[in-house]
Amino acid sequence: MISERWAVTALRVFLVALFGILVMLETFSIPGQYAHMAQQNPDEAHLRWPSTIVSIFWIVCVQVVIVATWKLLTLVRKDLIFTEGAIRWVNVMVWAIAAAWAVLVGVFIWVGVNADDPGVIVLFFLFTSAVSVVGLVLVVMRALLKRATELRADMESVI
């Protein structure tokens, strides 16, 4: 079985890699892709900036979750995970996911009204469902963390 120390280290390596890839996407790839699409299809050029802004917003939401995860890993390593500080970082994650979900629902509605292909609607329903599940699981995990924090505080007061 992998020890907690190795798992935390491996997760940090992947978080750094993911964060770096996301920075590259939001600064070069996404704006460049939408600029290219606007040149190739001038009829839909008016969607360039809204699409760019929404895509970068979603990437920033993921980056917020990555930073909060990093902070939680630091608390795990210091054996401070069952503290109010951990709950604050989980709240940051919940709010970032909620913001991304709200924008996703808005885009889903806009696409649903304007789509002529049912596949796109199904794809957005899948994305919306997936983000909903992740957000709700995180809310449940936050409640468990809060309860465990309360229990640990009770145990420390007894000892």
Side-chain angles (χ1 to χ4, degrees):
M1 186 167 170
I2 298 176
S3 73
E4 178 183 305
R5 186 173 144 251
W6 287 105
V8 168
T9 301
L11 183 53
R12 283 188 172 187
V13 168
F14 286 111
L15 288 174
V16 167
L18 179 59
F19 196 90
I21 291 167
L22 291 173
V23 167
M24 190 248 344
L25 281 174
E26 73 187 341
T27 55
F28 301 114
S29 185
I30 300 267
Q33 178 63 31
Y34 285 120
H36 176 72
M37 288 171 61
Q39 289 174 348
Q40 295 299 316
N41 193 353
D43 294 340
E44 295 183 8
H46 66 282
L47 296 175
R48 174 186 178 188
W49 290 110
S51 299
T52 302
I53 291 167
V54 167
S55 298
I56 290 173
F57 175 76
W58 285 330
I59 290 173
V60 168
C61 288
V62 173
Q63 288 172 324
V64 167
V65 171
I66 290 170
V67 169
T69 302
W70 186 279
K71 293 293 191 175
L72 288 171
L73 290 173
T74 301
L75 293 175
V76 166
R77 200 165 261 203
K78 293 179 180 179
D79 195 29
L80 296 173
I81 194 65
F82 297 113
T83 62
E84 288 297 320
I87 293 171
R88 280 192 296 268
W89 283 110
V90 174
N91 285 338
V92 167
M93 294 170 76
V94 168
W95 282 108
I97 291 171
W101 180 86
V103 172
L104 181 59
V105 168
V107 171
F108 180 29
I109 291 168
W110 185 83
V111 167
V113 169
N114 295 306
D116 54 356
D117 179 14
V120 175
I121 296 171
V122 171
L123 191 61
F124 268 94
F125 182 73
L126 173 69
F127 290 154
T128 305
S129 298
V131 173
S132 299
V133 166
V134 169
L136 292 172
V137 165
L138 200 54
V139 168
V140 170
M141 296 304 286
R142 178 182 59 184
L144 292 172
L145 178 62
K146 188 172 183 175
R147 183 67 181 139
T149 301
E150 291 168 358
L151 289 173
R152 184 169 184 170
D154 291 345
M155 290 298 291
E156 287 176 357
S157 68
V158 169
I159 296 174

